[in-house]
């Protein structure tokens, strides 16, 4: 393959093809966006600061689901409790961490 410059008429044809391709919006979007899956942004979840009433509501619903699951042994209730327990635990932990860091910054 030659590394010298293209002849004038071939350069014009190439420029015309490039102009036509640059006007194609769909092609430009496909070339600009990578095709790999994007990972979810975990930093927003880690910065979540739940309010006290949110945590109280989650704990109440979890306790009710736990009691209903023990009494009825219904798989739907047990699964609902299992799904809700992880976010509830996370919310309680975040609330406790936030309140303890406030107490340390106040000096007691």
């Amino acid at each position: 393959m030659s590394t010298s410059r293209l002849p004038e008429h071939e350069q014009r044809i190439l420029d015309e093809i490039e102009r036509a391709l640059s006007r194609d919006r769909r092609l430009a979007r496909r070339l600009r966006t990578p095709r790999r899956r994007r990972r979810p942004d975990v930093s927003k979840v880690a910065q979540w600061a739940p309010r006290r009433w949110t945590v109280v509501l989650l704990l109440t619903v979890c306790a009710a689901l736990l009691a209903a699951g023990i009494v009825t042994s219904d798989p739907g209730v047990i699964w609902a409790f299992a799904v809700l327990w992880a976010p509830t635990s996370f919310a309680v932990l975040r609330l406790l961490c936030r309140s303890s860091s406030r107490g340390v910054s106040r000096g007691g």
Side-chain angles (χ1 to χ4, degrees):
M1 182 171 207
S2 173
T3 57
S4 64
R5 228 170 124 69
L6 292 173
E8 186 67 30
H9 70 284
E10 289 179 358
Q11 185 65 43
R12 275 185 275 145
I13 293 170
L14 183 61
D15 290 341
E16 186 176 324
I17 292 171
E18 287 177 349
R19 275 193 301 275
L21 289 174
S22 67
R23 287 190 298 260
D24 188 356
R25 290 182 187 171
R26 181 191 282 170
L27 177 65
R29 186 173 50 241
R30 288 182 115 180
L31 291 175
R32 187 173 46 242
T33 312
R35 279 301 198 192
R36 59 191 158 106
R37 285 183 162 181
R38 294 184 181 178
R39 295 182 181 153
D41 189 14
V42 184
S43 64
K44 291 181 182 178
V45 175
Q47 293 173 354
W48 179 54
R51 296 187 174 129
R52 286 189 180 138
W53 287 110
T54 304
V55 175
V56 168
L57 178 68
L58 285 170
L59 283 171
T60 305
V61 172
C62 271
L65 285 172
L66 178 63
I70 291 171
V71 170
T72 65
S73 297
D74 182 25
V77 176
I78 295 171
W79 275 106
F81 169 75
V83 167
L84 194 61
W85 178 246
T88 302
S89 301
F90 182 72
V92 168
L93 180 67
R94 292 290 299 164
L95 184 65
L96 288 173
C97 288
R98 188 177 68 195
S99 64
S100 67
S101 68
R102 284 182 184 168
V104 169
S105 64
R106 289 182 189 160

